[in-house]
């Protein structure tokens, strides 16, 4: 208990209603996450809705999401860099970096 008190003093956790609510929400989300991990490890391929009739399941939709998001980021980036729209020049570099991250994620997915 003494160690826990020294940790909370170091990170500055104040027991306000908002902080307690966020802490409880974070713990609940972590519990759901670990429950999902256990469910995936127990049931295996059923988590992705993969059967003999539907061999790709959610994996294909995940790839499509990341690839389409990459396309949208490339479009936003090109509005500033290629077409010279001043409103999009400030976000152009971030959109390019995001597109690279998203396309790598799509290939890994």
């Amino acid at each position: 208990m003494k160690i826990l008190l020294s940790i909370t003093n170091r990170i500055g956790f104040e027991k306000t209603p908002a902080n307690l609510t966020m802490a409880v929400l974070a713990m609940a989300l972590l519990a759901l996450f670990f429950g999902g991990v256990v469910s995936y490890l127990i049931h295996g391929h059923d988590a992705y809705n993969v059967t003999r009739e539907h061999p790709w399941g959610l994996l294909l939709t995940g790839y499509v999401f990341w690839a389409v998001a990459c396309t949208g980021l490339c479009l936003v980036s090109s509005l500033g860099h290629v077409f010279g729209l001043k409103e999009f020049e400030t976000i152009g570099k971030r959109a390019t970096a995001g597109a690279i991250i998203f396309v790598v994620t799509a290939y890994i997915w």
Side-chain angles (χ1 to χ4, degrees), residues 40-56:
Y40 173 72
L41 292 174
I42 291 173
H43 300 292
H45 67 276
D46 292 338
Y48 286 120
N49 194 21
V50 178
T51 62
R52 298 187 99 184
E53 293 83 19
H54 303 141
W56 288 96

Side-chain angles (χ1 to χ4, degrees), residues 17-100:
N19 285 346
L20 290 175
T21 303
M22 291 304 291
V24 168
L25 181 65
M27 295 305 284
L29 289 175
L30 278 173
L32 287 173
F33 172 75
F34 286 121
V37 168
V38 168
S39 173
Y40 173 72
L41 292 174
I42 291 173
H43 300 292
H45 67 276
D46 292 338
Y48 286 120
N49 194 21
V50 178
T51 62
R52 298 187 99 184
E53 293 83 19
H54 303 141
W56 288 96
L58 291 177
L59 297 175
L60 184 63
T61 58
Y63 171 77
V64 169
F65 168 76
W66 292 110
V68 170
C70 173
T71 305
L73 285 170
C74 286
L75 179 65
V76 168
S77 175
S78 67
L79 289 175
H81 292 296
V82 177
F83 299 112
L85 294 176
K86 298 289 183 192
E87 296 85 9
F88 292 97
E89 284 182 1
T90 57
I91 200 169
K93 290 182 182 179
R94 291 183 187 139
T96 303
I100 291 170

